[in-house]
Amino acid sequence: MLDPELLERITARRAELDELEEQLAKQLAGVRDERDELAVAERVLERITVQLVEERASARPVPGQVAGRTVMLIPHREPGTDESMLPPDYQRIITAVRQAAGPIMAREVGEAVGVDISVKAKLEPLRSKLVRLVDRGWLGKLPDGRFTTRL
């Protein structure tokens, strides 16, 4: 005849092992779910990386829409980018600033690129282009309002 105390201990141990098996099964399911999520994240990251590489390879200014008008977006200056990415009028502005003997006022840039500086309405768009080039990292601006090339 079997010892009832021994049977009780075996039954208790079996219950412990069953509970442990259930916990491990849940843990394993969680690990598998997380691995699946990581695989999806890797695929998404690869796809985005390919898209970014393609976009940077064809990094020409892209026309955008502002108030229903088509405008040319000026990219931020990044390592490895050159002025050829900019529209021709912006390239002429940078060339004028570069050819100046030192820091240059917007009026002097206007003279160099052929803008009628006697008409304020023609000088202000040039000034806004200069400021845009400063904001995007293509030029520098001194506290006195003069523009300079970035080093």
Side-chain angles (χ1 to χ4, degrees), residues 69-136:
R69 291 182 32 202
T70 300
V71 294
M72 185 61 69
L73 301 177
I74 305 304
H76 288 274
R77 185 174 186 187
E78 295 179 3
T81 58
D82 63 6
E83 296 160 20
S84 66
M85 297 178 60
L86 299 172
D89 52 336
Y90 284 85
Q91 290 178 30
R92 285 191 298 275
I93 291 169
I94 290 176
T95 300
V97 173
R98 185 181 297 117
Q99 290 175 349
I104 185 170
M105 296 297 291
R107 182 173 296 278
E108 296 168 288
V109 175
E111 290 173 349
V113 298
V115 171
D116 184 3
I117 60 169
S118 64
V119 180
K120 187 174 182 176
K122 297 206 182 214
L123 189 58
E124 287 309 312
L126 172 67
R127 188 180 319 278
S128 106
K129 287 180 181 178
L130 284 161
V131 170
R132 189 172 300 120
L133 287 168
V134 169
D135 291 343
R136 302 296 190 334

Side-chain angles (χ1 to χ4, degrees), residues 9-63:
R9 288 177 69 187
I10 291 172
T11 304
R13 181 64 179 150
R14 182 170 285 144
E16 287 175 13
L17 292 175
D18 288 345
E19 185 178 322
L20 182 59
E21 180 183 30
E22 188 177 317
Q23 289 174 355
L24 290 174
K26 286 179 182 176
Q27 227 177 354
L28 181 60
V31 167
R32 286 181 178 154
D33 288 345
E34 188 173 346
R35 289 180 80 189
D36 291 344
E37 290 171 0
L38 287 174
V40 169
E42 280 180 317
R43 287 194 303 270
V44 169
L45 181 61
E46 287 172 8
R47 191 174 324 127
I48 289 172
T49 301
V50 167
Q51 288 174 350
L52 286 174
V53 167
E54 290 172 356
E55 287 174 11
R56 288 182 180 154
S58 64
R60 287 279 176 196
V62 179

